[in-house]
Amino acid sequence: MATIPLPGGSGTDGTDAAEVFLRDFHNSRPGRQSVNMKRAPLADGRTGYQVLAAEVAGARRVLDLGCADGALLEVLATAGAQELAGIDLSDEELALARLRPALVGADLRQGRAQELPFADDSFDAVVSHMALMLMHDVDRIAVETARVLAAGGRVAVAVGGGAVEGQAMSLFLALARPYFKAAPPERSMPRLGDRRARSREGLDEVFGPAGFAPVSWDTVVIDMGGAPEQVWDSITEAFYDMVVLDQEQTASLCTEFLAAAPALLETDGRLPCGMRLNIATARLLPTRPGAE
């Protein structure tokens, strides 16, 4: 596992410690999380990207907040979106996105969702997959989202909904939390995101004042199961908190996890590992606050 700098304060360009952490994390391992997501389908075979893209089906102009390596934008392009844009903190993720043939001509920019470099009424839909929940100042993001959306446009976000009880991810969390809590201050991780971005009520609180109708909400389960070693790799790629552990702690946690995993194995030797994914959508009302 690569060593990620753990910032203790704000960046010189005004970004806070969380944004510096996220930028450095993704610059050190671009593309890894989208690979993980693609090999974790739903029961019907779709990926989380495909589920989210379906929420904005028919939108011609789409912006992805926290687009990373462009995996979701590629799905949207395949589904028929004609004008695509993405914004992300990581140069390295964006470099991979620009290599995707489906994204030739897409407007991909490094930047912050709180300060979108796009004109008013530029998009029919705004999406964000497992990214909005990591961002701060989400009230400002909602205002910016409303600004760049055309009236009646949609916002659709996917946020983590927690582990399925009795499966490998819940086992991992039970074992890992003591390790995370014991991390020394110099290796502590900045707090990521606003808790409101992880619940239906919270998102209504964020998006309602910006001019959006009440949020619709659905929960699906993505399947990260497989051989125990494969599941370990998938889970540890999914948790930013792993960066606070040193090599010895990581090895110790891995040993504990693999020792406990056989108790959960299915008859075919597969280790079940489900993670809930919450899909929230809202439509921009025709008359938004401040509009003439």
Side-chain angles (χ1 to χ4, degrees), residues 60-101:
R60 186 175 65 85
R61 304 171 298 167
V62 187
L63 167 65
D64 185 359
L65 306 180
C67 67
D69 68 348
L72 173 56
L73 286 172
E74 184 176 61
V75 171
L76 289 160
T78 302
Q82 298 173 22
E83 296 181 27
L84 295 167
I87 192 164
D88 200 89
L89 294 170
S90 168
D91 279 333
E92 296 298 325
E93 294 278 21
L94 290 168
L96 290 182
R98 294 186 179 104
L99 295 177
R100 295 180 183 269

Side-chain angles (χ1 to χ4, degrees), residues 9-239:
S10 298
T12 57
D13 59 354
T15 58
D16 66 14
E19 290 183 2
V20 173
F21 170 82
L22 289 168
R23 181 196 65 201
D24 292 347
F25 182 97
H26 285 278
N27 277 342
S28 72
R29 55 183 74 187
R32 298 281 289 278
Q33 291 190 325
S34 70
V35 170
N36 208 22
M37 184 57 61
K38 287 180 179 179
R39 67 188 185 201
L42 280 68
D44 63 8
R46 292 183 299 166
T47 67
Y49 296 129
Q50 290 169 322
V51 172
L52 188 59
E55 296 293 330
V56 297
R60 186 175 65 85
R61 304 171 298 167
V62 187
L63 167 65
D64 185 359
L65 306 180
C67 67
D69 68 348
L72 173 56
L73 286 172
E74 184 176 61
V75 171
L76 289 160
T78 302
Q82 298 173 22
E83 296 181 27
L84 295 167
I87 192 164
D88 200 89
L89 294 170
S90 168
D91 279 333
E92 296 298 325
E93 294 278 21
L94 290 168
L96 290 182
R98 294 186 179 104
L99 295 177
R100 295 180 183 269
L103 300 186
V104 172
D107 189 353
L108 303 174
R109 307 194 196 189
Q110 184 187 32
R112 308 174 67 237
Q114 297 87 344
E115 302 170 356
L116 293 175
F118 303 104
D120 296 1
D121 306 319
S122 295
F123 302 101
D124 306 306
V126 173
V127 297
S128 185
H129 188 277
M130 301 287 279
L132 179 68
M133 67 186 200
L134 305 175
M135 300 178 187
H136 291 281
D137 200 3
V138 289
D139 300 285
R140 181 62 192 170
I141 294 172
V143 169
E144 280 289 272
T145 298
R147 179 183 65 78
V148 301
L149 273 175
R154 288 165 286 172
V155 60
V157 301
V159 299
V164 173
E165 294 79 6
Q167 296 189 4
M169 187 172 289
S170 59
L171 168 66
F172 168 81
L173 288 171
L175 296 172
R177 284 187 180 114
Y179 284 87
F180 297 155
K181 289 179 180 179
E186 65 272 16
R187 291 200 60 78
S188 63
M189 198 177 76
R191 183 177 65 85
L192 301 179
D194 184 319
R195 295 301 301 179
R196 294 177 297 166
R198 295 176 180 263
S199 72
R200 183 176 190 169
E201 297 77 14
L203 286 172
D204 274 333
E205 181 181 330
V206 169
F207 282 105
F212 288 88
V215 167
S216 65
W217 188 263
D218 190 24
T219 300
V220 298
V221 174
I222 60 176
D223 181 6
M224 300 170 66
E229 293 81 3
Q230 177 188 344
V231 171
W232 164 263
D233 290 341
S234 296
I235 291 177
T236 53
E237 284 295 331
F239 280 89

